[in-house]
Amino acid sequence: MASPENNPSLEDRVEGQSGPVGPASLHRAWTHFLKVLSYFSGDMEVFGKWMEKQFFLLQLLDWVLRGAAQVMFVNNPLSGLVIFAGLILQNYWWALNGFVGTLFATISALILQQSRSAIAAGLYGYNGILVGLLMAVFSNAALTCPCSPIVSSALASINTRWDLPVFTLPFNILVCLHMVATGHYNHHFPQVLIQPRSELPNITWSEIDVAKLFRSIPVGIGQVYGCDNPWTGGIFIISLFISSPITCVHAVLGSAVGMVSGLALSAPFEDIYFGLWGYNCVLACIAVGGMFYALTWQVHLLAITCAFFCAYLGSAISNVMSTLGLPACTWPFCLSALTFLLLTTGTKRIFKLPLAKVTYPEKNLAFYWRLKKQEKAEKAAKESQEQLNAEITLHEKNQLKLELRRIEEGRQESENNNSTEMDEGVNVEGTNREDNSTKVVPGDYV
């Protein structure tokens, strides 16, 4: 009869098996959580593939929402929907203009038979929403929205030679073109009169409002879409966090850098409170901080540096363009971001992703890690192969030395044997001579 020690009960066997199951179940739960999270975060790839099988109008709505979010480098229709909610909170007329601008730009890209994948990602819509919004702010017409895909396609053929994005250059070109063509004094298309500063601003540091300074951070993010409502800016921050927390953090940092730069350059407080120093820095910090570079701590510092550079460049461009009666738009962001993307360095910690591999910062970082892991594996394999080749070469050399030593020993042995045989032959011959000389012939005695 078996003893209880040698025949464990069912409870004991279950307890013994529950040990290794814990980490595996935790890993499965984490994998399931990430899968569920991917349904509405990042670029919503699963939703995009499902949308490819739906009817055209539903796809078009998805493209418009993605185009609205692509202003902030976000390829997420849910984020685009939240952004439109923020625009409605700011001004429903602006929201309508933005939606129509994005729609017209997307349809124009379809008519021109541009890349369907680029259209589905919203890359032909974001300049349209900016043109629609800013024309609603500065003018009463948005006639140039359908032209944005034409300018985008033309600039893409140039920028792709250096593997650079188009950014919002089409928006800048079209807005400036419209405002120069119509002018302020126009019966059909009246515009906001923009003039250079003609007197010193009244800056009293004791009158600075700290609460408004902190409020200028969400306002600066909202000013990317021309909105000055801090609640709208807060909604935009939520839309960024839905898609990418890294993008959200760099947007807040960029707006804060713009606010600090405005204070450093003694800008009028009202301009800082209004978020005019923040929106270009927001876009520049997002672009460099993980979007087109793989995020490392060096890239993070580079993004903050780019934001400071963008703020100073924005002040210079604003002063120059105000003399022409034009707004700065996003020229500072485009010029500063393109400058930093053309940066050359010897460190591998600042890695610029190929334009075809750019998605969102978290996925870009995962791609960078896989690339580094692959490089390490290839380097280790190369080192092991070199070590193996060195061992094989050393072994062959040792074998060759042994063969040469054997040959040398055999030759010496043969030489020694020959010399010994020669000595023995000489001795035998000498002995024979002695025997012949001492041999007595019987005939001599007769």
Side-chain angles (χ1 to χ4, degrees):
M1 186 174 179
S3 63
E5 289 82 3
N6 296 329
N7 189 14
S9 63
L10 179 60
E11 290 82 0
D12 295 333
R13 288 198 297 267
V14 170
E15 289 179 0
Q17 293 176 358
S18 63
V21 174
S25 61
L26 184 63
H27 178 71
R28 286 195 301 270
W30 177 250
T31 303
H32 181 69
F33 172 75
L34 292 179
K35 185 177 180 180
V36 172
L37 192 65
S38 67
Y39 288 151
F40 59 88
S41 66
D43 55 1
M44 294 181 65
E45 184 179 0
V46 177
F47 178 80
K49 291 181 179 179
W50 175 80
M51 189 61 69
E52 293 176 357
K53 302 176 183 179
Q54 307 307 311
F55 60 95
F56 175 75
L57 290 180
L58 196 59
Q59 292 185 26
L60 185 61
L61 178 61
D62 175 62
W63 301 341
V64 169
L65 293 177
R66 290 179 186 268
Q70 278 286 6
V71 177
M72 298 284 228
F73 305 102
V74 171
N75 181 15
N76 189 304
L78 181 58
S79 297
L81 186 63
V82 175
I83 286 172
F84 272 116
L87 291 175
I88 293 173
L89 178 63
Q90 171 72 33
N91 189 314
Y92 70 91
W93 173 246
W94 291 6
L96 180 61
N97 274 270
F99 181 83
V100 171
T102 314
L103 181 63
F104 280 4
T106 304
I107 293 175
S108 299
L110 289 171
I111 294 174
L112 294 173
Q113 295 185 355
Q114 299 298 308
S115 172
R116 182 56 70 93
S117 61
I119 296 174
L123 296 179
Y124 285 97
Y126 69 93
N127 280 292
I129 188 175
L130 287 178
V131 172
L133 288 172
L134 270 295
M135 284 297 96
V137 174
F138 294 112
S139 181
N140 290 337
L143 301 178
T144 55
C145 292
C147 298
S148 62
I150 300 174
V151 183
S152 297
S153 179
L155 291 176
S157 63
I158 299 174
N159 287 19
T160 50
R161 296 181 181 181
W162 292 278
D163 203 31
L164 293 174
V166 175
F167 288 138
T168 54
L169 286 173
F171 152 71
N172 294 322
I173 294 172
L174 292 174
V175 169
C176 292
L177 176 64
H178 175 78
M179 296 189 71
V180 171
T182 56
H184 171 65
Y185 302 101
N186 192 291
H187 290 289
H188 299 288
F189 308 109
Q191 299 175 10
V192 175
L193 180 61
I194 299 175
Q195 293 179 336
R197 189 184 305 164
S198 59
E199 59 183 8
L200 288 174
N202 185 13
I203 297 177
T204 306
W205 290 100
S206 60
E207 297 180 356
I208 192 170
D209 193 334
V210 178
K212 287 185 177 181
L213 277 182
F214 283 100
R215 194 180 67 177
S216 69
I217 294 177
V219 172
I221 296 174
Q223 281 289 2
V224 174
Y225 292 87
C227 302
D228 60 349
N229 190 332
W231 293 105
T232 299
I235 291 175
F236 291 167
I237 293 175
I238 294 174
S239 70
L240 296 179
F241 186 81
I242 289 173
S243 175
S244 169
I246 295 177
T247 299
C248 180
V249 169
H250 282 89
V252 174
L253 283 176
S255 186
V257 166
M259 179 262 291
V260 172
S261 300
L263 294 175
L265 290 178
S266 298
F269 293 153
E270 291 301 323
D271 291 349
I272 299 175
Y273 300 155
F274 201 59
L276 298 181
W277 280 81
Y279 69 95
N280 277 299
C281 301
V282 167
L283 294 174
C285 196
I286 292 174
V288 177
M291 182 57 63
F292 296 96
Y293 283 108
L295 185 63
T296 59
W297 68 266
Q298 293 91 340
V299 170
H300 180 68
L301 295 179
L302 188 68
I304 296 175
T305 305
C306 181
F308 275 109
F309 178 78
C310 182
Y312 280 73
L313 183 62
S315 178
I317 291 178
S318 296
N319 291 333
V320 171
M321 297 192 71
S322 62
T323 60
L324 302 175
L326 296 174
C329 295
T330 57
W331 285 109
F333 149 64
C334 292
L335 296 180
S336 59
L338 289 174
T339 300
F340 275 71
L341 288 182
L342 289 171
L343 175 70
T344 57
T345 177
T347 179
K348 294 183 179 180
R349 291 290 183 176
I350 300 178
F351 176 73
K352 180 177 175 292
L353 287 94
L355 198 59
K357 297 294 182 180
V358 173
T359 51
Y360 56 94
E362 287 79 6
K363 193 171 182 178
N364 295 340
L365 186 59
F367 171 77
Y368 172 70
W369 284 343
R370 287 197 304 269
L371 196 62
K372 294 292 290 183
K373 187 176 180 180
Q374 183 180 355
E375 288 179 356
K376 288 182 180 180
E378 292 177 355
K379 184 178 180 181
K382 184 178 180 181
E383 290 178 354
S384 63
Q385 185 65 33
E386 290 178 353
Q387 184 178 2
L388 181 61
N389 292 337
E391 291 178 355
I392 293 173
T393 304
L394 181 61
H395 180 70
E396 291 177 351
K397 287 182 179 180
N398 292 334
Q399 291 292 332
L400 183 59
K401 287 180 181 179
L402 290 175
E403 290 294 331
L404 291 175
R405 186 178 299 173
R406 291 194 192 98
I407 294 173
E408 186 68 23
E409 290 176 354
R411 187 177 65 182
Q412 290 180 358
E413 185 177 357
S414 62
E415 289 178 356
N416 293 333
N417 292 334
N418 291 335
S419 61
T420 303
E421 290 177 358
M422 291 178 64
D423 292 340
E424 290 177 355
V426 171
N427 293 333
V428 170
E429 185 177 353
T431 304
N432 292 333
R433 288 176 182 176
E434 291 178 358
D435 293 340
N436 291 331
S437 61
T438 55
K439 186 178 182 180
V440 179
V441 180
D444 293 339
Y445 292 99
V446 177

